[in-house]
Amino acid sequence: MTVGDILKTLLGEIADGKPWSGWTLATVSPRGDSSDLEFGRGGERVVVFLTPVEAKTDCFRKTQRFRIGYRGNPSFSGVLALVEEVAARISAREAFLPEDLRELWGPPPRPDGGLVVSDQTLELRVTLRCNERCPFCNTDDLARNVMRNDREVVAAIESAPGLGVSQVVFTGGEPTLARRLSEWVRIAKSLGLVVSIQSNGLLPGLPSFWRRFDGEGCLPDHLYLSFHTARPERLEAITGVAGTFPRKVRAVHEARRRGWPWA
């Protein structure tokens, strides 16, 4: 997938003359790890730029995977509404991008200071991707113990006993989106560590999800689920995704069926 393919996925039909909050999208210019979207309105011009969230670029809005800002005259009326619309479209479509998108633009920088351990627990953010869009989420690449790739996750797990760690918690983002999660669980348990997974419950409610955990020593010890509300009609406003309440309930049943206490 090229940067151009990414832009087509994020923005849908990219065509001259398409209205965006009263502006016209004139050109789309990929520039390495940044892409410029030039908009016009009469004689006015403004460029909305898009960079990976791992970049350290100042921005006006940040989605789960991108930083979005603008260049041009901020005194033009409607510029901020335009940027908000671009951010909203990207936020709604970025989940359709492949998990390995970071490989295209390079890995994010690691936080300084190495691994952080709290109360004999090592919490590893194995992905920043999520299949919910909670507006209050504060997880980004500056969070503690963000892992860039499989090698870093394995190295962190293997270093845990030497750090005095007794428990490893896999979190994110949404850790159940990580393809190698069951392998990391197995490695951690082989070292005698208690293993927990923090999840929003969308995938753990599917019996098929747990097939990859078949085999001795692959099942985690705890599954922590986030509901945020007991009222299904409120869930979309909180998580940005509608109709997921039954899936979260099924995740509780799957957890109980495996002998885990409700958590």
Side-chain angles (χ1 to χ4, degrees):
M1 176 173 273
T2 67
V3 176
D5 293 331
I6 292 170
L7 290 171
K8 289 179 182 178
T9 300
L10 290 174
L11 302 177
E13 291 297 325
I14 301 175
D16 294 348
K18 185 173 183 177
W20 294 63
S21 297
W23 295 79
T24 298
L25 176 58
T27 61
V28 179
S29 305
R31 302 181 186 279
D33 66 351
S34 177
S35 296
D36 289 348
L37 312 177
E38 183 179 353
F39 292 86
R41 186 181 61 185
E44 301 170 342
R45 290 289 183 270
V46 64
V47 172
V48 178
F49 66 81
L50 172 69
T51 66
V53 73
E54 294 85 5
K56 299 306 178 185
T57 308
D58 290 337
C59 63
F60 180 75
R61 280 288 176 265
K62 184 170 67 172
T63 68
Q64 185 72 28
R65 306 179 73 177
F66 296 95
R67 294 176 186 266
I68 302 164
Y70 64 91
R71 293 189 289 271
N73 191 337
S75 66
F76 292 156
S77 64
V79 169
L80 299 187
L82 169 63
V83 179
E84 293 284 11
E85 180 174 349
V86 172
R89 293 195 187 195
I90 289 174
S91 180
R93 299 177 65 89
E94 62 188 345
F96 296 102
L97 295 174
E99 182 177 6
D100 62 355
L101 177 63
R102 290 178 298 177
E103 301 293 330
L104 183 65
W105 278 320
R110 286 295 308 277
D112 294 332
L115 295 172
V116 178
V117 177
S118 300
D119 298 325
Q120 296 184 309
T121 298
L122 180 61
E123 186 176 273
L124 300 178
R125 296 189 181 278
V126 295
T127 181
L128 294 178
R129 294 181 61 214
C130 189
N131 44 9
E132 290 186 325
R133 299 187 296 274
C134 303
F136 52 84
C137 182
N138 62 354
T139 297
D140 59 21
D141 58 297
L142 299 179
R144 300 190 308 182
N145 298 347
V146 176
M147 302 287 103
R148 294 185 298 186
N149 50 49
D150 175 68
R151 292 192 306 276
E152 288 194 353
V153 176
V154 173
I157 296 170
E158 292 178 341
S159 70
L163 297 173
V165 167
S166 59
Q167 177 177 219
V168 170
V169 178
F170 294 109
T171 185
E174 174 53 39
T176 60
L177 294 173
R179 291 189 293 261
R180 302 196 65 181
L181 181 59
S182 61
E183 298 176 45
W184 300 332
V185 169
R186 178 183 54 77
I187 294 171
K189 290 185 70 69
S190 72
L191 295 173
L193 299 168
V194 176
V195 178
S196 302
I197 295 174
Q198 294 179 347
S199 174
N200 58 29
L202 298 193
L203 290 182
L206 303 174
S208 58
F209 169 79
W210 295 106
R211 289 176 191 151
R212 69 172 112 166
F213 292 85
D214 290 344
E216 186 176 355
C218 281
L219 205 62
D221 299 287
H222 304 285
L223 177 66
Y224 295 97
L225 299 174
S226 58
F227 259 77
H228 302 306
T229 179
R231 300 181 61 175
E233 68 274 13
R234 293 182 176 178
L235 200 58
E236 181 176 6
I238 295 174
T239 67
V241 182
T244 59
F245 195 84
R247 294 173 64 179
K248 292 174 179 283
V249 172
R250 287 198 297 270
V252 175
H253 290 305
E254 286 295 321
R256 295 298 298 271
R257 190 167 71 83
R258 287 167 172 76
W260 293 319
W262 163 244

